[in-house]
Amino acid sequence: GFIESDLSMMASLTRLRRRAAEVRRCESGVALIEFAFSMPIILGMGMYGLEVTNYAMTHMQVSQIALALADNASRIGQDSALSLTQFRESDVNDTFEAAKKQAGRMDITTHGRIILSSLERNADGGQWIHWQRCVGLRRYDSSYGVEGDGVTGTSLSGMGPASERITAPDKNAVMFVEINYDYQPLISDTLIGKPKIHYTAAFIVRDERDLTMIYNPSPAAPRATCNNYTT
């Protein structure tokens, strides 16, 4: 009886060892386990790549909006065969509206600020920010001066970074645009945050413009002065 019991136990152990060996040799689940370990890394890299791509595209879009706005502001105005072209408050508003439409879903005036300046030459031959108009909720001021800076003297050297300073020629104006935009993440702000995107653009006025003021004939248009923070 003991012999039969021992033989049965040995047979069971042999089968168990054989089964364990088969399990050790089986590789059918290895790929699935490796994928489970690598999936978070692959997914994280993919999301980061998408966020960086969106960030780069947003940079390009803000740059293009600034260029288009400066170009439009340098061309627009009320033409007259008897007098110089008059630049009006409604023209300012039209250029801002065009920028908002170009921005589309970026909501550039909700998450940023657009500043349009008329850079001119004063009576002393220096640079002068004659007027400035703004739109947008973010409380960003111009990095290069505010309306009225340089009205006399030569203390204002122009607008823009020191290495790329923009100056206005005599008896003409430069439409100088600044855009500050808080980047809106595509996926999450934990990847690259919400950095501020800043771009400038400038175009010299293309026509014979009356530079004495911004006109506002009846019916008067709202004035987008820089003490207002609206979209």
Side-chain angles (χ1 to χ4, degrees):
F2 289 107
I3 295 174
E4 291 179 357
S5 176
D6 290 343
L7 290 174
S8 176
M9 184 177 296
M10 291 175 62
S12 297
L13 290 173
T14 301
R15 287 194 297 271
L16 185 60
R17 291 193 189 98
R18 189 181 299 118
R19 183 59 181 167
E22 291 175 354
V23 169
R24 285 197 301 270
R25 291 193 297 271
C26 180
E27 298 180 355
S28 60
V30 172
L32 182 60
I33 294 172
E34 291 176 346
F35 178 74
F37 279 116
S38 62
M39 184 175 65
I41 299 173
I42 295 172
L43 185 60
M45 292 175 62
M47 290 192 298
Y48 184 76
L50 285 173
E51 196 67 74
V52 170
T53 300
N54 186 65
Y55 180 58
M57 291 178 63
T58 303
H59 263 275
M60 182 176 65
Q61 192 170 3
V62 173
S63 173
Q64 292 299 315
I65 292 169
L67 283 169
L69 198 154
D71 188 19
N72 289 337
S74 72
R75 297 171 183 270
I76 199 169
Q78 185 178 39
D79 292 327
S80 172
L82 302 177
S83 61
L84 299 176
T85 300
Q86 292 183 352
F87 193 69
R88 303 160 296 174
E89 296 289 352
S90 60
D91 297 322
V92 174
N93 297 338
D94 286 344
T95 59
F96 284 160
E97 191 63 33
K100 288 188 284 186
K101 289 186 180 299
Q102 184 178 354
R105 295 182 180 180
M106 284 177 59
D107 289 335
I108 197 165
T109 54
T110 299
H111 305 294
R113 183 104 165 136
I114 300 173
I115 304 170
L116 173 63
S117 305
S118 180
L119 181 64
E120 303 170 23
R121 186 173 292 187
N122 64 27
D124 298 320
Q127 297 295 300
W128 170 36
I129 302 176
H130 186 180
W131 54 260
Q132 203 167 67
R133 294 292 184 268
C134 304
V135 66
L137 295 179
R138 290 293 187 263
R139 292 185 174 271
Y140 290 123
D141 296 323
S142 171
S143 301
Y144 311 110
V146 298
E147 180 177 316
D149 283 358
V151 64
T152 59
T154 57
S155 59
L156 184 68
S157 58
M159 298 185 75
S163 59
E164 302 174 352
R165 193 77 74 199
I166 302 296
T167 58
D170 189 30
K171 298 179 181 179
N172 207 336
V174 170
M175 296 291 99
F176 189 88
V177 172
E178 294 173 71
I179 297 180
N180 290 294
Y181 178 73
D182 292 337
Y183 174 67
Q184 300 301 299
L186 178 66
I187 299 172
S188 171
D189 58 9
T190 60
L191 296 173
I192 61 174
K194 289 186 175 183
K196 182 180 76 171
I197 297 174
H198 175 80
Y199 276 94
T200 64
F203 273 85
I204 192 167
V205 171
R206 311 297 181 85
D207 50 30
E208 295 292 328
R209 180 175 293 181
D210 184 343
L211 300 178
T212 56
M213 67 178 75
I214 300 181
Y215 289 85
N216 200 6
S218 181
R223 299 172 71 244
T225 52
C226 293
N227 60 341
N228 294 320
Y229 295 88
T230 63
T231 58

